[in-house]
Amino acid sequence: MGVFRVGGGFPQDQVLGGIGNNCWVDVLWWAPTEDITEPTSLAVTPHEGSTSVRLDEHATIRYDEEVDPAGLSITATAPDGTPVQGAVTCEADRVSARCAPTGRHVAGTTYEVTALVNGPAGNPAPTRTWSFTTGLPRPATCPCTLWDDFSRPADTDWSDVIYRPGSPASGHVFK
């Protein structure tokens, strides 16, 4: 039963049926004793829609809570639906999982990754699906780039590279 008064304030005796100015309320606090939340994916690698991904890259996913290694499934599939052979493992922190291919991916191919997982209490996480595309090696006949898709520079701070067409300093790195 609720007691209300239009316009705010405390209800008067006539509203409460003559029981005085006291309004007794019992507060009921319920805290679940079991885990009822599902794991939520926080991040994936390779990132959704990534291109130029290395041929030996493994798919990883990170959740906001521990997951049950027994309820873990990560599948990478090629465009024709063929599953990529590999090992699925749960990291030591039990919030990250990895699918490492036993071989190399095919160059220039888009793969779709699907992750299914349960929390420690058996709560299933929503299915997480993402895709990435592997890179292509630089053709031997094309000197059109300095690096192929798989090159990873040791220094990723490109703020020191200068490019001015026609300038004698174009392309020099100053440290």
Side-chain angles (χ1 to χ4, degrees):
M1 175 181 138
V3 180
F4 305 96
R5 176 178 177 186
V6 177
F10 192 80
Q12 301 301 316
D13 285 341
Q14 64 272 20
V15 177
L16 296 175
I19 61 172
N21 287 333
N22 291 325
C23 180
W24 301 93
V25 177
D26 289 331
V27 177
L28 176 63
W29 175 259
W30 175 75
T33 56
E34 61 187 52
D35 180 6
I36 59 171
T37 58
E38 59 199 25
T40 302
S41 66
L42 299 176
V44 295
T45 58
H47 299 289
E48 169 66 42
S50 291
T51 58
S52 301
V53 174
R54 293 187 338 242
L55 301 181
D56 60 349
E57 188 78 29
H58 32 266
T60 60
I61 186 164
R62 183 170 178 80
Y63 289 94
D64 66 340
E65 66 175 51
E66 288 187 1
V67 297
D68 179 12
L72 174 64
S73 169
I74 303 176
T75 308
T77 54
D80 64 359
T82 305
V84 174
Q85 299 298 317
V88 176
T89 57
C90 190
E91 302 293 334
D93 62 8
R94 292 187 60 163
V95 296
S96 300
R98 168 188 315 217
C99 179
T102 52
R104 294 170 63 84
H105 296 300
V106 177
T109 304
T110 299
Y111 291 89
E112 183 175 274
V113 182
T114 303
L116 302 167
V117 69
N118 292 330
N123 305 320
T127 301
R128 178 69 158 93
T129 302
W130 73 100
S131 62
F132 64 90
T133 303
T134 55
L136 292 168
R138 179 179 61 220
T141 59
C142 177
C144 49
T145 181
L146 296 176
W147 299 282
D148 62 23
D149 279 352
F150 312 114
S151 297
R152 302 270 164 103
D155 181 2
T156 57
D157 180 11
W158 293 95
S159 61
D160 296 330
V161 176
I162 296 175
Y163 175 73
R164 289 189 200 110
S167 168
S170 288
H172 290 139
V173 177
F174 299 94
K175 289 284 183 183

